[in-house]
Amino acid sequence: MPDLQAGLVWTRAAPEDAEGPGPWIEIAFGPGELVHLRETGDPGTVVTTTAQKWEAFTRGVLAGEFDHFAEPGSGALVTDDT
């Protein structure tokens, strides 16, 4: 199996003033209309989807379709308290 990550340009989704290793999510747009996602702490595990599905997801984020995941008690609330 060829190295999936060879030649991909990864962009880290982190606040501009963020320091340290994260954990952050990284995204790379590859050939064949594929979109690849990985975690900085586990760069060898890559999730791949299509550009069409990625666009649908990002439109959903912008439309607020996933806001309930950030509500208290959802189990996925992210805070700045570290």
Side-chain angles (χ1 to χ4, degrees):
M1 177 177 232
D3 183 9
L4 171 69
Q5 299 179 47
L8 293 177
V9 177
W10 293 94
T11 302
R12 185 170 293 177
E16 288 185 22
D17 60 346
E19 295 182 21
W24 310 112
I25 297 295
E26 296 177 317
I27 185 170
F29 297 91
E33 297 286 317
L34 296 178
V35 179
H36 310 282
L37 300 152
R38 68 182 185 184
E39 232 183 290
T40 54
D42 186 12
T45 301
V46 177
V47 175
T48 301
T49 189
T50 65
Q52 181 180 7
K53 290 178 183 178
W54 177 252
E55 183 178 339
F57 171 73
T58 57
R59 286 181 188 218
V61 169
L62 292 171
E65 294 177 15
F66 303 100
D67 289 356
H68 62 283
F69 288 117
E71 294 174 1
S74 70
L77 181 63
V78 177
T79 66
D80 291 338
D81 302 333
T82 53

